[in-house]
């Protein structure tokens, strides 16, 4: 990715929705929190995640989802809802995403692909005349990593 303002990335409804940041997860979360028009970032920790059940349990915990378990269809539906997260841009920080990538690259890729599609859904207004109508909303998932070569994702070059 070309050098861009961090705030602009977090607030855009454009791609990429899933990004690698070479930054410590805590520092990344603090930087997001300091960006005035962003809601408090949510953190998902994938340490020890090697199977779908592990991934979904980590997502439920990290996003404080009102569910006890998920499958892929339920995950997609829940991620397109997120009604329990306050308004503003939605930014999710992934900790230990490299662990998941190294131990189950297929699961990692399916997760990333799903998140990209979910980001695209949030970027469009929901105007079905139902109670869930909403304007476009930015959703980005930022994978914290140590090195630029850790993950096969677009890299956000920021100075934390």
């Amino acid at each position: 990715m070309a050098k861009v303002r961090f705030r602009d990335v977090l607030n855009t409804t454009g791609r990429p929705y899933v990004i690698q940041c070479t930054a410590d997860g805590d520092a990344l979360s603090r930087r997001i929190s300091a960006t005035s028009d962003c809601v408090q970032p949510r953190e998902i920790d994938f340490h020890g995640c090697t199977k779908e059940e592990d991934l979904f349990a980590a997502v439920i915990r990290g996003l404080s989802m009102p569910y006890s378990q998920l499958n892929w269809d339920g995950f997609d539906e829940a991620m397109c809802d997120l009604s329990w997260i306050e308004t503003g841009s939605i930014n999710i920080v992934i900790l230990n995403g490299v662990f998941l990538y190294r131990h189950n690259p297929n699961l990692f890729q399916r997760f990333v692909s799903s998140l990209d599609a979910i980001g695209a859904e949030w970027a469009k207004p929901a105007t079905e005349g139902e109670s869930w109508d909403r304007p476009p909303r930015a959703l980005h998932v930022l994978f914290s990593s140590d090195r630029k070569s850790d993950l096969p994702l677009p890299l956000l070059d920021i100075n934390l």
Side-chain angles (χ1 to χ4, degrees):
M1 260 177 96
K3 192 126 178 135
V4 293
R5 288 181 38 193
F6 190 62
R7 174 187 310 274
D8 293 343
V9 170
L10 298 180
N11 289 313
T12 184
T13 55
R15 281 193 162 89
Y17 304 115
V18 184
I19 306 163
Q20 174 184 305
C21 294
T22 52
D24 171 77
D26 290 334
L28 185 55
S29 290
R30 282 193 306 275
R31 177 79 184 269
I32 294 169
S33 295
T35 303
S36 61
D37 29 5
C38 295
V39 298
Q40 180 69 28
R42 304 294 177 121
E43 291 183 353
I44 300 171
D45 190 348
F46 283 151
H47 181 74
C49 292
T50 58
K51 303 178 298 215
E52 283 183 9
E53 306 85 60
D54 304 331
L55 179 140
F56 291 135
V59 169
I60 289 169
R61 278 190 309 276
L63 299 182
S64 302
M65 287 184 159
Y67 307 104
S68 58
Q69 62 184 13
L70 291 171
N71 58 27
W72 284 110
D73 290 337
F75 170 74
D76 290 341
E77 186 175 314
M79 291 297 294
C80 285
D81 173 11
L82 297 178
S83 58
W84 58 93
I85 296 179
E86 53 277 4
T87 59
S89 63
I90 302 168
N91 295 288
I92 301 167
V93 175
I94 304 291
L95 308 173
N96 296 301
V98 175
F99 183 92
L100 176 65
Y101 175 65
R102 289 183 180 153
H103 289 86
N104 194 334
N106 292 331
L107 179 60
F108 174 88
Q109 190 55 52
R110 182 164 185 194
F111 180 67
V112 167
S113 294
S114 184
L115 291 173
D116 183 67
I118 291 162
E121 281 301 311
W122 277 100
K124 299 184 291 190
T127 55
E128 299 295 321
E130 301 291 338
S131 61
W132 57 80
D133 286 2
R134 60 162 177 73
R137 189 170 175 191
L139 181 140
H140 296 284
V141 180
L142 299 100
F143 281 75
S144 171
S145 67
D146 294 329
R147 294 182 313 252
K148 293 178 180 182
S149 61
D150 280 341
L151 297 169
L153 298 172
L155 180 67
L156 179 59
D157 185 16
I158 57 173
N159 297 319
L160 293 179

